[in-house]
Amino acid sequence: MHEDKKEELVKILMKEGITDKKVLNAFLKVDRHLFVPDIIKLHAYSNVALPIGHEQTISQPYTVAFMTQALELNGRNKILEIGTGSGFQAAILVQMGMKVFSIERQFEIHQKTQKLFDSLGIRAALIYGDGTLGWKEAAPYDRIIVTAGGPEVPKRLLKQLSVGGKMVIPVGNRVSQTMQIITKISEKEFSTKEVPNFKFVPLIGKEGWKSE
Ligand code: SAM
Protein backbone atom coordinates (compact mmCIF):
# COMPACT_ATOMS: atom_id res chain seq x y z
CA MET A 1 0.00 0.00 0.00
CA HIS A 2 2.83 2.41 0.83
CA GLU A 3 5.31 0.79 -1.56
CA ASP A 4 4.85 3.36 -4.35
CA LYS A 5 5.38 6.24 -1.95
CA LYS A 6 8.50 4.59 -0.53
CA GLU A 7 9.93 4.10 -4.02
CA GLU A 8 9.22 7.76 -4.84
CA LEU A 9 11.02 8.81 -1.67
CA VAL A 10 14.03 6.61 -2.47
CA LYS A 11 14.24 8.20 -5.93
CA ILE A 12 14.35 11.64 -4.28
CA LEU A 13 17.08 10.47 -1.87
CA MET A 14 19.12 9.20 -4.83
CA LYS A 15 18.70 12.53 -6.65
CA GLU A 16 19.92 14.31 -3.52
CA GLY A 17 23.12 12.26 -3.48
CA ILE A 18 22.44 9.15 -1.39
CA THR A 19 24.28 6.29 -3.10
CA ASP A 20 24.69 3.63 -0.38
CA LYS A 21 22.45 0.77 -1.54
CA LYS A 22 22.06 -0.64 1.97
CA VAL A 23 20.74 2.71 3.20
CA LEU A 24 18.33 3.05 0.26
CA ASN A 25 17.15 -0.52 0.74
CA ALA A 26 16.44 0.12 4.43
CA PHE A 27 14.17 3.04 3.39
CA LEU A 28 12.20 0.60 1.22
CA LYS A 29 11.81 -1.77 4.17
CA VAL A 30 10.99 0.48 7.16
CA ASP A 31 7.41 1.83 7.32
CA ARG A 32 7.83 5.53 8.21
CA HIS A 33 4.06 5.92 8.59
CA LEU A 34 4.22 3.77 11.75
CA PHE A 35 6.58 6.31 13.39
CA VAL A 36 4.46 9.47 12.99
CA PRO A 37 1.22 10.56 14.71
CA ASP A 38 -2.02 9.39 12.98
CA ILE A 39 -3.05 12.92 12.04
CA ILE A 40 -0.03 13.41 9.73
CA LYS A 41 0.34 9.88 8.37
CA LEU A 42 -0.57 11.14 4.89
CA HIS A 43 2.74 13.03 4.84
CA ALA A 44 4.86 10.18 6.21
CA TYR A 45 6.70 9.59 2.92
CA SER A 46 7.31 13.26 2.12
CA ASN A 47 10.92 14.36 2.37
CA VAL A 48 10.25 16.61 5.38
CA ALA A 49 10.71 16.58 9.15
CA LEU A 50 7.37 16.12 10.97
CA PRO A 51 6.21 16.91 14.52
CA ILE A 52 5.97 13.96 16.95
CA GLY A 53 4.73 15.91 20.00
CA HIS A 54 6.55 17.45 22.99
CA GLU A 55 8.05 20.02 20.54
CA GLN A 56 10.15 17.28 18.95
CA THR A 57 10.40 16.00 15.38
CA ILE A 58 11.07 12.91 13.30
CA SER A 59 14.02 14.05 11.16
CA GLN A 60 13.71 14.68 7.41
CA PRO A 61 14.30 11.40 5.49
CA TYR A 62 17.21 12.98 3.58
CA THR A 63 18.91 13.88 6.87
CA VAL A 64 18.44 10.34 8.24
CA ALA A 65 19.82 8.88 4.99
CA PHE A 66 22.74 11.36 4.89
CA MET A 67 23.78 10.63 8.49
CA THR A 68 23.40 6.87 8.04
CA GLN A 69 25.50 6.95 4.87
CA ALA A 70 28.12 9.12 6.63
CA LEU A 71 28.51 6.46 9.35
CA GLU A 72 30.07 4.14 6.69
CA LEU A 73 28.64 1.03 8.34
CA ASN A 74 30.36 -2.28 7.80
CA GLY A 75 29.44 -5.66 9.23
CA ARG A 76 27.41 -5.63 12.43
CA ASN A 77 28.50 -2.36 14.07
CA LYS A 78 27.63 -1.45 17.65
CA ILE A 79 25.97 1.97 17.50
CA LEU A 80 24.98 4.54 20.09
CA GLU A 81 22.24 6.95 19.04
CA ILE A 82 21.52 10.12 21.04
CA GLY A 83 17.89 11.26 20.60
CA THR A 84 15.67 8.21 20.02
CA GLY A 85 12.64 10.39 19.22
CA SER A 86 10.14 8.49 17.05
CA GLY A 87 12.58 5.57 16.70
CA PHE A 88 12.73 5.81 12.90
CA GLN A 89 16.52 6.34 12.69
CA ALA A 90 17.09 3.46 15.13
CA ALA A 91 14.72 1.25 13.10
CA ILE A 92 16.71 2.01 9.91
CA LEU A 93 19.94 0.98 11.69
CA VAL A 94 18.37 -2.21 13.09
CA GLN A 95 17.01 -3.04 9.61
CA MET A 96 20.60 -2.71 8.32
CA GLY A 97 21.69 -5.36 10.83
CA MET A 98 23.29 -3.07 13.43
CA LYS A 99 23.34 -3.52 17.21
CA VAL A 100 21.68 -0.35 18.45
CA PHE A 101 21.65 1.47 21.80
CA SER A 102 19.56 4.65 21.77
CA ILE A 103 19.07 7.29 24.48
CA GLU A 104 16.12 9.71 24.83
CA ARG A 105 15.82 12.43 27.48
CA GLN A 106 12.01 12.92 27.29
CA PHE A 107 10.36 10.19 29.32
CA GLU A 108 7.01 10.17 27.44
CA ILE A 109 8.77 9.89 24.07
CA HIS A 110 11.05 7.15 25.40
CA GLN A 111 8.07 5.16 26.72
CA LYS A 112 6.00 5.59 23.56
CA THR A 113 8.86 4.45 21.30
CA GLN A 114 9.65 1.50 23.60
CA LYS A 115 5.99 0.39 23.25
CA LEU A 116 6.17 0.81 19.46
CA PHE A 117 9.39 -1.24 19.23
CA ASP A 118 7.83 -3.97 21.42
CA SER A 119 4.75 -4.11 19.20
CA LEU A 120 6.79 -4.18 15.96
CA GLY A 121 9.39 -6.61 17.35
CA ILE A 122 12.28 -4.17 16.71
CA ARG A 123 15.25 -5.23 18.82
CA ALA A 124 17.22 -2.26 20.16
CA ALA A 125 18.23 -1.17 23.66
CA LEU A 126 16.25 2.02 24.39
CA ILE A 127 17.54 3.99 27.36
CA TYR A 128 15.94 6.94 29.18
CA GLY A 129 18.48 9.62 30.17
CA ASP A 130 20.85 12.40 29.14
CA GLY A 131 22.61 11.20 26.01
CA THR A 132 25.36 13.84 26.24
CA LEU A 133 26.78 11.58 28.98
CA GLY A 134 26.72 8.60 26.63
CA TRP A 135 26.08 5.09 27.97
CA LYS A 136 29.29 3.93 29.61
CA GLU A 137 27.93 0.48 30.45
CA ALA A 138 28.00 -0.68 26.80
CA ALA A 139 30.97 1.42 25.55
CA PRO A 140 33.01 1.50 23.38
CA TYR A 141 30.85 1.99 20.28
CA ASP A 142 31.91 1.53 16.65
CA ARG A 143 29.66 4.41 15.66
CA ILE A 144 27.85 7.26 17.45
CA ILE A 145 25.03 9.26 15.86
CA VAL A 146 23.60 12.36 17.54
CA THR A 147 20.20 13.41 16.19
CA ALA A 148 19.84 16.74 18.04
CA GLY A 149 21.99 19.87 17.58
CA GLY A 150 24.52 20.75 20.30
CA PRO A 151 26.84 23.71 20.99
CA GLU A 152 29.91 21.42 20.90
CA VAL A 153 30.90 17.77 20.66
CA PRO A 154 30.35 16.11 24.07
CA LYS A 155 33.74 14.92 25.39
CA ARG A 156 32.24 11.82 26.98
CA LEU A 157 30.94 10.69 23.59
CA LEU A 158 34.40 11.08 22.01
CA LYS A 159 35.74 8.94 24.86
CA GLN A 160 33.11 6.22 24.36
CA LEU A 161 33.89 5.94 20.62
CA SER A 162 36.22 3.07 19.56
CA VAL A 163 39.56 3.91 17.96
CA GLY A 164 38.80 3.67 14.22
CA GLY A 165 35.16 4.54 14.94
CA LYS A 166 33.04 7.35 13.50
CA MET A 167 30.68 9.87 15.03
CA VAL A 168 28.16 12.03 13.19
CA ILE A 169 26.85 15.06 15.08
CA PRO A 170 25.25 18.42 14.19
CA VAL A 171 27.05 21.27 15.99
CA GLY A 172 26.19 24.97 15.90
CA ASN A 173 23.64 27.31 17.48
CA ARG A 174 20.02 26.53 18.40
CA VAL A 175 18.78 27.38 14.88
CA SER A 176 21.27 25.91 12.43
CA GLN A 177 24.17 23.48 12.59
CA THR A 178 27.09 22.04 10.64
CA MET A 179 27.26 18.26 10.46
CA GLN A 180 30.57 17.05 11.86
CA ILE A 181 31.71 13.64 10.63
CA ILE A 182 34.44 12.64 13.05
CA THR A 183 36.87 9.71 12.80
CA LYS A 184 38.74 8.66 15.94
CA ILE A 185 42.29 7.98 14.79
CA SER A 186 43.77 7.28 18.24
CA GLU A 187 42.72 7.98 21.85
CA LYS A 188 43.82 11.61 21.37
CA GLU A 189 43.63 12.20 17.62
CA PHE A 190 40.53 12.90 15.54
CA SER A 191 39.88 13.97 11.96
CA THR A 192 36.71 15.92 11.12
CA LYS A 193 34.80 16.64 7.91
CA GLU A 194 32.13 19.34 8.01
CA VAL A 195 28.94 19.72 5.99
CA PRO A 196 26.91 22.93 6.63
CA ASN A 197 23.19 23.79 6.70
CA PHE A 198 21.34 21.36 8.94
CA LYS A 199 18.52 22.23 11.30
CA PHE A 200 17.86 20.11 14.37
CA VAL A 201 15.98 20.49 17.65
CA PRO A 202 18.42 21.32 20.49
CA LEU A 203 20.56 18.73 22.26
CA ILE A 204 19.74 19.44 25.88
CA GLY A 205 21.90 18.10 28.68
CA LYS A 206 25.04 18.32 30.76
CA GLU A 207 27.27 18.60 27.66
CA GLY A 208 24.57 20.24 25.52
CA TRP A 209 22.29 23.28 25.80
CA LYS A 210 20.73 24.18 29.14
CA SER A 211 17.08 23.12 29.32
CA GLU A 212 14.45 25.28 27.48
N1 SAM B 1 16.33 10.09 15.79
C1 SAM B 1 15.03 10.65 15.91
C2 SAM B 1 14.02 10.03 15.00
O1 SAM B 1 14.39 9.15 14.19
O2 SAM B 1 12.83 10.35 15.12
C3 SAM B 1 15.07 12.16 15.77
C4 SAM B 1 14.51 12.78 16.97
S1 SAM B 1 14.48 14.49 17.24
C5 SAM B 1 15.13 15.31 15.86
C6 SAM B 1 15.72 14.65 18.52
C7 SAM B 1 15.42 13.97 19.83
O3 SAM B 1 16.55 14.18 20.70
C8 SAM B 1 14.21 14.49 20.59
O4 SAM B 1 13.32 13.44 20.85
C9 SAM B 1 14.80 15.05 21.89
O5 SAM B 1 13.96 14.90 23.02
C10 SAM B 1 16.07 14.25 22.01
N2 SAM B 1 17.13 14.82 22.84
C11 SAM B 1 17.53 16.11 22.98
N3 SAM B 1 18.56 16.20 23.86
C12 SAM B 1 18.84 14.93 24.28
C13 SAM B 1 19.78 14.35 25.17
N4 SAM B 1 20.68 15.08 25.84
N5 SAM B 1 19.77 13.01 25.34
C14 SAM B 1 18.87 12.23 24.69
N6 SAM B 1 17.94 12.72 23.84
C15 SAM B 1 17.93 14.05 23.63
Side-chain angles (χ1 to χ4, degrees), residues 42-87:
L42 260 179
H43 305 287
Y45 296 96
S46 303
N47 189 23
V48 291
L50 294 167
I52 57 168
H54 306 276
E55 295 177 4
Q56 303 304 328
T57 54
I58 175 172
S59 301
Q60 181 186 8
Y62 170 73
T63 302
V64 174
F66 176 88
M67 292 177 88
T68 310
Q69 178 165 278
L71 287 173
E72 292 183 14
L73 302 170
N74 54 40
R76 182 168 159 79
N77 296 135
K78 181 159 83 169
I79 305 186
L80 178 66
E81 180 192 24
I82 313 304
T84 313
S86 69

Side-chain angles (χ1 to χ4, degrees), residues 56-57 81 83-86 89 103-105 130-131 147 201-202 204:
Q56 303 304 328
T57 54
E81 180 192 24
T84 313
S86 69
Q89 170 75 72
I103 310 178
E104 172 56 54
R105 70 175 281 275
D130 175 4
T147 66
V201 296
I204 292 167

Side-chain angles (χ1 to χ4, degrees), residues 1 13 64 103 112 117 125 187 210-211:
M1 179 185 164
L13 297 177
V64 174
I103 310 178
K112 193 170 173 211
F117 275 32
E187 274 311 326
K210 301 282 160 277
S211 112

